[in-house]
Amino acid sequence: MGPVELWRHERPAETPMWRFLEHVNSKYKLSLRDYPDLYKWSVENVADFWGDVWHFVGIKASKSFEGQVLPSEAPMFPRPDFFAGARLNFAENLLFPANVEVSASATAVVTATEDAGHLTETPWAQLRDQVRRCSNALREIGVKENSVVAGFVANHVQALVALLSAATVGAIWTGISPDNGVSAVLDRLTQIRPQVLFADNATLYNGKEWSGKAKTLDIVEELKKHGLEQVIVIKGLQHIETGLDEIREKGVKAEEYEAFLNSSPNSPLNFAQLPPSHPLYVLYSSGTTGLPKAIVHTAAGTLLQHKKEHFLHCSLSPSSRMLYYTTTSWMMHHWSVSALACGSSLVLYAGSPFKPHGYSSLPRLLSSLRVTHFGTSAAYLTTLEANNIRPVTDPSLDLSALEAIYSTASPLPPSTFSFVYSAFPAKINLASITGGTDIISLFGAPCPLLPVCPGEIQCAGLGMAISVVDPSSPSDEAPRPVPDPTTPGDLVCTKPFPSQPLTFFGPDGDAKYRAAYFERFPGLWHHGDFVRMNPNTGALVMLGRSDGVLKPAGVRFGSAEIYNVLTRFFAAEVEDAVCVGRRREEDRDETVCLFVVMAEGKTFDDGLRRRIVEVVRRELSPRHVPGVIEEAKGGVPKTSNGKKIEVAVKQILSGMQVRTNASVANPEALDWFREWARRANENQTLPN
């Protein structure tokens, strides 16, 4: 009996993916029959594949690449130089998309908030002119190629203009959402030393207005020591003060956003023509030690990978409109704005997904704005399921334009797959997708040529040579494949792809880059996901993280961020701690569990628990707050060289069988966690 199919495309032969398959067959005189054939060809002929994608999806370049797409037999590390010799600009490709026609008067961007009266539409011509003015104003204050421009901003058109303006000049953009605390922002921005900071004066979230002035002032005071020269304040809420005078008192220039654009010289829009490997974005991936890793992504790699995914895998076109519920910190923000390169329009939404109309808030936007492609988190969809919210049954909503729903950040449960097809139009391509900050794109993608089956990611993306290996493979030997295709293991990538990071920002960036991805399985990209491949469908089943990275509700961060807060604010009370994610088979989401070892003479109690919650929420974000805070009465398990053994604790709490080996210096600590997990499972509630 075959797998249950929830969806198949009604007209697969009319999709860009099928046309690309036919193009490959014609050019190379092949007889590829279906997606598995096309995928196999793409990973066996990496250079030919990416060269054909460049031309087929349409990349606007002032100078094409010379000769081969990448050096023959190029390893994954050091990162090969794709498309050497080409010259292009990322922002130009989004504002003047290749291979499509868009009307200058058509809407490019809709900005929406919880306040329905705050909805604004920005036509293509206006978006281009705003980028012209902003990029020229940035040049006027000394921003140039490789300068760093940061945004402490929500998801709105001004943030998009700032991003595209930085890219126009050839500066590097990094975005951080205003819901982050000061410590979280400075942990990131002090590493990359921005010259310019765009900041919101205030945001509207969950029905409340939140002034950003106090945070911005604290951030500016510290960043001034690291080269900050100019702050541009965006009036997200018109009636709340901007704090410009207080910022200037810190010794930094400050200007309101509209005044900054108006100060621009009346010069034409000038896109810097840059090499394909020119740095475009810095994103942050947290590990279990040290500061968040500042990952540098390239212009051409990001552009080509996104346009491959949007055009071929998602069938985006100028008639498409995408709303991805995301913050500016999340990789999906960068992924979604690239839809402009297909001529598609964007809906940029900032606010709670459940305001102002409860569970129907986002469905109302999908209906009124005729959204075709809706992206969200698995947590959002499971919330609708848990509350039996079925927008398709609401006669006031018209969801007929909807073509696809994308779910990411954490695995989507099989039951939720089935629920979505009863809650939204049955014609949609529901796609659970996976990739990440590290690759700013997808390893597991949607596919119009394949069915949707419960609990499965449809396919590996074209050109992404992924495999599943035995996690117990020694790091000094070639990794062993899993014993059989149904056995879970570590996700690896075996061949180069254009959206590999360029490096990590700062000193020893290449060494940190290598250590992050290529030390566990030498020569292969180790992604840190625990997966199983379906031998019958070729689909992926995501089982969570295989490392110590935390990912509650899809928000990814490292335990080091929690440890840093404990060190800064609780050093006199907390001697040590271990922070891991717990997700058992029956759990719909990961729970962050923090276990602390008390300093001599100090007592663990509810008061300490409450204070830790308050400080973590204030200094990091509400998403960082542990769901469980307990005393580790058996101590923190460590190796003989003193390193915390987080992965073993995580696996024990998640219901896996973990054998204690000789590298554990204090095995009794793991025994304590086994007993804690046993009691928690017996009670079906987490003990206090």
Side-chain angles (χ1 to χ4, degrees), residues 536-557:
N536 299 314
T537 65
L540 294 168
V541 177
M542 302 301 295
L543 302 171
R545 295 291 298 176
S546 61
D547 57 18
V549 171
L550 299 151
K551 211 174 180 186
V555 179
R556 178 176 169 177
F557 60 92

Side-chain angles (χ1 to χ4, degrees), residues 417-473:
F417 272 80
S418 301
F419 165 78
V420 168
Y421 277 99
S422 67
F424 292 89
K427 66 172 184 172
I428 61 164
N429 181 182
L430 171 63
S432 182
I433 58 180
T434 187
T437 298
D438 316 80
I439 64 171
I440 202 168
S441 59
L442 309 179
F443 276 133
C447 183
L449 307 185
L450 293 172
V452 172
C453 299
E456 295 185 347
I457 294 169
Q458 284 179 280
C459 66
L462 291 178
M464 308 300 278
I466 63 172
S467 184
V468 182
V469 299
D470 186 342
S472 65
S473 301

Side-chain angles (χ1 to χ4, degrees), residues 66 128 138 323 340 353 454 464 471 507 551 636 641:
E66 300 165 351
R128 292 163 180 165
L138 287 173
L323 187 164
L340 291 171
M464 308 300 278
K551 211 174 180 186
V636 173
N641 62 7

